[in-house]
Amino acid sequence: MFVIHRVRQVGSAEFWSNRIRKEYRNKDDEVSKAQITFCVKLSSLVKELSAYTKEWHTTGLAWGKGAALTKSAAQAGVDTVSAATTPTATATVKTKGAESKTVKAAPPVKSAADASEELKAALLAKTTGGNSAATGLKKVPRDQQTWRKEYKKDSATPAPASSAPSKAVTSVKAKSSSNKPPPPPKIEFHAPTNKWLVEHQVSPTQTPIVLTVDVTDLKHQVYIYKCTNVTVVVKGRFKNIIVDSCVRCNVIFDTVLISTEVFNGKSCKVQINGTCPSFVIDKTDGCQVYLSKETMAVTKFVTSKSSEMNVCWQDPSGDMKEVPIPEQFHHQLNPETGKISSEVSDLYTSNC
């Protein structure tokens, strides 16, 4: 690349010199003669510079350490320095008002790649101050070193400004969620799904409020959601009823064709005045089920992840009976069949 640049410079000098010669040729005034002389000397300078770079800087300029001059010679001002091309070159220094002195010069640089590596190493040493990875890092005072016993969080410097917005956003979100008003209570019929919705009903006092739902179609369903301290009375025959996420909720209904389901509840009570083929209890702590005479021999219970479940009914003498639904079982593997057999714990033997 440097050879190509050198050739281009020679051609460029000849091009612009010819334009000057064309303008001032055949003129005898001093200015024209000076312009022609300038073109001749410029062409000679560029050609000689090209020959010099071809001999001494074939691959481009190379930075070396140069001659090891004494401090006094450098201060006096160096006029000319000539160095030999041998590895053990010497330099003759002529200073103003002083005798000539001969000093040893450093060997020339072998290639531009070596000079580039030396320059990189010098810059790295200047910027980092050494080869250690910790060089240039800010020293942390003892009172701010978290691993020491005497470190106190209150006396530490404040956290960076970048983390403050995130904490502020988190606190704002927490406050907004806690201050969010509860949804309005609802008791209505949703025609597209044939479902009665009883949602977010809460008693303002310790006494439960009573809500009545009149169902007139066997295809209708009843869905009770997030009600607290209420009593829901459902009249008529309908498809099924679901009690979801309710606390201290009492449900009284006549007849269900498919099932009754209680999910995610606490201290719920359900009374069946008619019949109910299936009763499902899931993830509920405290569920009291009251059976009528018609449904005692019909209702089947399915339970999972629930506790404090009891079934109540009235015996022929008119007294109320109560038995718990087992929560503890004994399981045993049969190696021959590869199946597990389960039995109710002895805690419920006397009542089941």
Side-chain angles (χ1 to χ4, degrees):
M1 294 299 294
F2 192 70
V3 175
I4 297 175
H5 175 72
R6 191 169 62 242
V7 174
R8 289 177 179 175
Q9 291 301 318
V10 174
S12 178
E14 290 293 339
F15 174 78
W16 291 105
S17 297
N18 290 335
R19 297 191 64 175
I20 297 175
R21 290 190 183 99
K22 184 179 179 181
E23 183 178 353
Y24 292 99
R25 68 182 176 179
N26 300 326
K27 294 182 181 181
D28 296 332
D29 56 296
E30 296 296 332
V31 175
S32 300
K33 292 180 179 180
Q35 294 292 342
I36 297 298
T37 304
F38 169 76
C39 294
V40 174
K41 291 184 177 181
L42 177 62
S43 178
S44 176
L45 174 63
V46 173
K47 290 179 180 180
E48 291 179 1
L49 180 61
S50 176
Y52 170 78
T53 55
K54 182 178 180 180
E55 181 180 359
W56 297 100
H57 303 284
T58 306
T59 60
L61 293 177
W63 300 95
K65 298 181 180 179
L69 304 180
T70 60
K71 183 176 181 182
S72 59
Q75 292 177 351
V78 178
D79 288 341
T80 59
V81 177
S82 60
T85 58
T86 59
T88 58
T90 59
T92 302
V93 180
K94 295 182 180 180
T95 58
K96 295 180 180 179
E99 296 181 355
S100 299
K101 295 182 180 181
T102 302
V103 294
K104 292 184 179 181
V109 178
K110 295 182 180 180
S111 64
D114 296 338
S116 177
E117 293 297 331
E118 291 181 2
L119 181 59
K120 291 180 180 179
L123 290 176
L124 180 63
K126 184 177 180 180
T127 54
T128 61
N131 297 326
S132 175
T135 304
L137 297 179
K138 184 179 179 181
K139 185 176 181 180
V140 181
R142 292 178 62 90
D143 57 344
Q144 296 182 10
Q145 296 175 357
T146 57
W147 56 272
R148 295 187 178 275
K149 294 182 179 180
E150 58 267 21
Y151 171 75
K152 294 182 180 180
K153 188 176 181 181
D154 297 338
S155 61
T157 55
S162 58
S163 62
S166 60
K167 293 182 180 180
V169 171
T170 306
S171 60
V172 169
K173 288 183 179 180
K175 290 182 180 179
S176 61
S177 61
S178 60
N179 297 332
K180 185 177 180 180
K186 180 191 302 184
I187 178 169
E188 62 184 12
F189 178 70
H190 190 248
T193 57
N194 289 328
K195 186 179 295 185
W196 285 90
L197 303 177
V198 183
E199 300 179 353
H200 305 289
Q201 299 287 343
V202 180
S203 175
T205 61
Q206 296 295 331
T207 303
I209 59 175
V210 180
L211 304 174
T212 304
V213 179
D214 293 323
V215 182
T216 58
D217 195 334
L218 295 176
K219 297 181 181 180
H220 289 180
Q221 307 175 58
V222 179
Y223 181 69
I224 305 173
Y225 177 68
K226 282 194 174 182
C227 294
T228 303
N229 197 23
V230 297
T231 299
V232 182
V233 180
V234 185
K235 297 181 179 180
R237 294 163 57 89
F238 51 95
K239 186 177 180 180
N240 69 324
I241 183 171
I242 298 175
V243 183
D244 186 6
S245 303
C246 294
V247 180
R248 299 192 308 277
C249 181
N250 307 320
V251 180
I252 304 173
F253 62 88
D254 292 338
T255 298
V256 169
L257 300 180
I258 298 179
S259 65
T260 300
E261 302 176 10
V262 180
F263 297 141
N264 304 315
K266 291 183 179 181
S267 303
C268 295
K269 296 180 180 180
V270 181
Q271 179 177 331
I272 306 172
N273 294 332
T275 58
C276 176
S278 176
F279 203 104
V280 179
I281 305 174
D282 184 24
K283 297 179 183 179
T284 298
D285 296 329
C287 184
Q288 198 89 356
V289 182
Y290 296 87
L291 302 179
S292 63
K293 293 181 179 180
E294 293 84 357
T295 196
M296 285 175 56
V298 177
T299 304
K300 295 182 179 180
F301 292 89
V302 178
T303 63
S304 62
K305 296 182 179 181
S306 301
S307 61
E308 300 179 15
M309 300 170 290
N310 297 284
V311 178
C312 305
W313 75 97
Q314 190 175 16
D315 64 2
S317 62
D319 296 334
M320 292 297 299
K321 298 292 184 179
E322 178 180 305
V323 293
I325 296 178
E327 303 174 25
Q328 189 179 67
F329 300 87
H330 294 298
H331 309 283
Q332 186 174 3
L333 173 65
N334 189 340
E336 297 179 357
T337 60
K339 296 182 180 180
I340 294 180
S341 59
S342 302
E343 296 180 357
V344 179
S345 174
D346 297 338
L347 297 174
Y348 303 92
T349 302
S350 58
N351 296 323
C352 298

